[in-house]
Amino acid sequence: MLYPVTNQKRIAISLNGLWNFDFVDLDYDAKVKLRKPRQIGVPSSFNELFTTKEERDFVGKVCYEKIVTIPQNISNVMWRLRIGAAGNRSEIYMDGVLIGKHNGGFLPIDLSLPIQKDKHEYRVSIVLDTRLDYQTLPVGEMSDDGPNPKQTIHYDFSNLIGLHRNVYLYCVPDNHIKDIKIETKLHDSYAKVQYAIETNDEVKKVELIDPHGDVVGRSSLMKGTIRVENPSLWDIGKGILYQLKVETEHDVYTESFGIRKVEVKGNKLLLNDKAVYLKGFGMHEDHVTIGKGSISALNIRDFALLKWIHANSFRTSHYPYAEEMYDLADQMGILIINEMPAVGLNFWSSKQVFNEKTVNKESREVYKKQFDELIERDKNHPSVIMYSVANEANTHEEFALDYFSEIFEHIRSKTKLPLMIVEWVGAEENKVAHLADVIGLNRYIGWYVDFADLSVVESKLKNELTSYHQKYNKPIILTEFGADTVMGLHQLPSVAFSEEFQIEFIEAYKKVIDKLDFVIGEHVWNFADFSTKQGLTRINGNKKGVFSRDRQPKMVAHWLRKAWEK
Ligand code: GCB
């Protein structure tokens, strides 16, 4: 899947901006246009824009509608619609005719448009279904025992819905390049760049361009290997990118990539044969007013803060992020653990998650399809160094192994990158962790257990990490640890929720992990405060951010900046 671009053979027209919008019935089919629409901004989540609780908390379907004009006098092209993400399930109509359906809110939809001769204006309707169930990712539960559908989610971020990412109308030549897959292999003084072009056109020229813009390799085959002598490697803080420029008879496309090697060996994560230690965060796509909307200026701010604090990595907790985040990470040399939207696989009760009636075979097929879409989208990003298969699933359940064995097998058939699973259950009862290359642990000692008591962190945390390591003998990343902190709340001696306590909390954890050499990374929870469903422990959202929701530092940010500078 190639990102829409404008070049000498292709045109990409942004459809971001104002759209018509309304809340619609569950059987809405877009045959007639919205009667009294209001306007909405794309990209954004609708939940954060309006003023009533009914609008914010709406469960059901919403419709985005826009009149789209196809430019005239461009011949022998195919027009397509590219929606960066549309959750949770979506239906796409053109003049009321269904042209596509999608399950999943965090990966792109790319459709060819049935354009008629001499007709230039079309009404595009994108109907989004906010509901989550056992056959979606994230997993949620629906109950219909009242007049209105009721949604239960068992995970900790708001179910924000909208056209969150860029929407493009774009065209490609009828005979065009469909995809380019690039893999690099590192040898002593050279690298092999293997590429495969998917096209219904004839390949004329393939050029490998180095970071200075010089052509350092050539071919004219659909599939091949180009050797690069003394390559400049993509690395932490070094977003060194090469390009593969492909020309076919009718089309041209340039894809960026980096030359780097990722491997897990013993208890180490190796990047270009050197051990790396991950410093950074679990993040969220979450901003004031635009919700899960992805906007360049705000993404740039996040990367500026990552750099300022000396982070070298982040996990896309708990779903794949907008493509631009990966482009920026490629350019800045930031490592990404790319997480599947497999969250909510835990009802925090005795009710079984992995079961014929709940998360079942059909759910597993949904997972596999979404992984295929993820890898198709992200395969050429050097910043992606690992995939995270799930967050805090009930891996102690009887049928969890069955579910995850097939998932791991499927993922391994599509990528050679290391795989991680993020765990909350203890080492002993875990039935799945042996399938992963790296184990992620989320721990909240001194918060959800032993609240406000940091004296127990040292022994308990050491114990938990060591027991996982002894049982599985795999490297471990502390993927979550943190304390809710109200910005501006200071107290001496510290109390929970104060900025002083947040520093003491992180410091106590760091003291333990700094001494354990099988711990290969620390990701503080969370990069920034974020929106969640309402709850007794949530004062307007999750406040474990090192930065506030509007991206200003709490005291701990300055502390971490010093600690991570080393
Ligand atoms: C977790 C979850 C994360 C939550 C966090 C918390 O274990 O993985 O999604 O936000 O705890 O703050 O409770």
Side-chain angles (χ1 to χ4, degrees), residues 488-500:
L489 179 67
H490 293 281
Q491 194 75 15
L492 189 68
S494 77
V495 289
F497 297 101
S498 68
E499 296 209 31
E500 285 78 6

Side-chain angles (χ1 to χ4, degrees), residues 76-91:
N76 303 323
V77 298
M78 169 196 282
W79 284 97
R80 302 185 68 90
L81 181 68
R82 171 67 146 67
I83 307 163
N88 284 306
R89 287 190 173 93
S90 57
E91 288 164 0

Side-chain angles (χ1 to χ4, degrees), residues 57-60 88 129-134 136 138-144 148-155 159 161 533:
D57 301 335
F58 177 81
V59 176
N88 284 306
D129 192 338
T130 74
R131 293 172 298 170
L132 292 163
D133 54 43
Y134 302 126
T136 57
V139 170
E141 293 188 289
M142 287 305 304
S143 63
D144 38 21
N148 300 313
K150 206 162 169 237
Q151 177 81 70
T152 308
I153 55 174
H154 301 284
Y155 58 84
N159 182 23
I161 297 297
K533 68 183 176 203

Side-chain angles (χ1 to χ4, degrees), residues 156 318 391-392 442 444 448 480 525 530 538 542 544:
D156 185 39
H318 295 305
N391 181 71
E392 297 194 342
N442 295 348
Y444 290 93
Y448 294 122
E480 287 185 23
W525 191 255
F530 58 92
R538 295 288 176 263
N542 188 310
K544 294 193 185 70

Side-chain angles (χ1 to χ4, degrees), residues 126 179 271 384 518 541:
I126 305 175
D179 204 3
L271 178 64
V384 175
F518 56 83

Side-chain angles (χ1 to χ4, degrees), residues 96-115:
V97 178
L98 184 70
I99 57 165
K101 273 185 173 193
H102 191 254
N103 181 353
F106 299 98
L107 289 162
I109 301 166
D110 197 320
L111 298 168
S112 111
L113 299 177
I115 300 297

